[in-house]
Amino acid sequence: QQQVKQSPQSLIVQKGGISIINCAYENTAFDYFPWYQQFPGKGPALLIAIRPDVSEKKEGRFTISFNKSAKQFSLHIMDSQPGDSATYFCAAILLTQGGSEKLVFGKGTKLTVNP
Amino acid sequence: AAGVIQSPRHLIKEKRETATLKCYPIPRHDTVYWYQQGPGQDPQFLISFYEKMQSDKGSIPDRFSAQQFSDYHSELNMSSLELGDSALYFCASSGTSGRGDEQFFGPGTRLTVL
């Protein structure tokens, strides 16, 4: 069972438009929510992250909105550019019994921004 | 800035063979994570090490083992390879400055089992 549910699976947006990706979780033990961007053949790279005590975080064209009561969070990419075309993963961090922080990923959203 | 180094970048093996993947974390990072990513899938956590000790285990098959050495590099050993082991294997490293430390991912090793 996927612990972090992500939608949509794929998204096509015109240049200059807004890209919106949504995620939901059940486990209230998650306490940190990063978004990763992955280009083909590359490793995931941290894009932006948020803690559950914050409702919104903005970095440049990227904004995370977080709704703790609904256990949902979303990524908004403003003024989307063709260079943003990549797969985006939402994730949640769980502190394990061993003391490490395990990343649990959503299934990913393949974003295509048309010129 | 130094990044996570993984070697080899590509590996082709036959069924039932063994493979060893290596990961060199960012300097001064003491935690290493291994992930497996199948085609079109999200990365799945395999195992992690902190200060050379295994700290957590995920969906790692019994045929796989891993360790972290005194210089903090890590190796993932895979035996009796199966076709389904074909995937991208990522190593990530993090420091211990506090909760929510970013995990920096390496470029991955693409393993193909024929």
Side-chain angles (χ1 to χ4, degrees):
Chain A
Q1 184 181 0
Q2 195 72 15
Q3 293 193 57
V4 179
K5 296 183 179 179
Q6 183 172 350
S7 63
Q9 189 174 351
S10 62
L11 181 62
I12 299 175
V13 174
Q14 292 299 118
K15 179 182 175 182
I18 302 174
S19 304
I20 301 174
I21 303 171
N22 299 299
C23 287
Y25 65 98
E26 287 296 326
N27 191 342
T28 55
F30 291 138
D31 65 354
Y32 195 63
F33 300 87
W35 284 86
Y36 282 83
Q37 179 189 56
Q38 185 178 28
F39 293 102
K42 304 290 186 183
L46 180 67
L47 193 61
I48 186 173
I50 197 168
R51 298 192 182 279
D53 54 349
V54 177
S55 61
E56 185 175 282
K57 184 175 182 180
K58 184 176 181 179
E59 289 184 2
R61 296 184 294 110
F62 301 91
T63 300
I64 300 178
S65 297
F66 191 89
N67 186 330
K68 187 174 181 178
S69 60
K71 290 185 278 188
Q72 296 175 346
F73 57 111
S74 61
L75 175 70
H76 290 60
I77 305 175
M78 311 300 288
D79 187 26
S80 299
Q81 299 297 313
D84 296 332
S85 298
T87 297
Y88 292 80
F89 292 97
C90 62
I93 288 182
L94 186 65
L95 183 63
T96 70
Q97 287 184 337
S100 67
E101 296 189 333
K102 185 166 71 174
L103 268 172
V104 179
F105 288 90
K107 284 292 189 185
T109 296
K110 185 175 181 181
L111 172 65
T112 302
V113 181
N114 289 327
Chain B
V4 176
I5 297 172
Q6 290 188 247
S7 67
R9 295 294 312 279
H10 302 272
L11 191 57
I12 299 175
K13 290 286 185 178
E14 300 278 341
K15 275 173 50 178
R16 292 179 289 277
E17 285 190 322
T18 61
T20 297
L21 279 53
K22 296 184 179 182
C23 169
Y24 297 86
I26 292 172
R28 290 179 295 282
H29 279 190
D30 50 18
T31 306
V32 167
Y33 305 81
W34 285 96
Y35 293 86
Q36 178 192 56
Q37 186 177 29
Q41 300 295 315
D42 55 301
Q44 294 291 314
F45 171 72
L46 292 177
I47 194 167
S48 62
F49 293 88
Y50 167 66
E51 281 291 344
K52 293 153 279 184
M53 299 287 290
Q54 180 182 307
S55 55
D56 194 34
K57 207 170 181 180
S59 50
I60 185 170
D62 292 340
R63 299 177 288 108
F64 295 5
S65 65
Q67 56 182 323
Q68 187 178 31
F69 294 86
S70 58
D71 63 351
Y72 295 100
H73 94 273
S74 179
E75 294 183 3
L76 178 65
N77 299 292
M78 311 160 73
S79 63
S80 303
L81 287 169
E82 302 174 356
L83 296 177
D85 296 329
S86 295
L88 265 171
Y89 290 83
F90 290 105
C91 168
S93 73
S94 70
T96 52
S97 61
R99 288 300 316 282
D101 279 333
E102 177 181 354
Q103 291 186 25
F104 291 84
F105 283 76
T109 294
R110 182 174 294 280
L111 172 66
T112 303
V113 182
L114 302 176

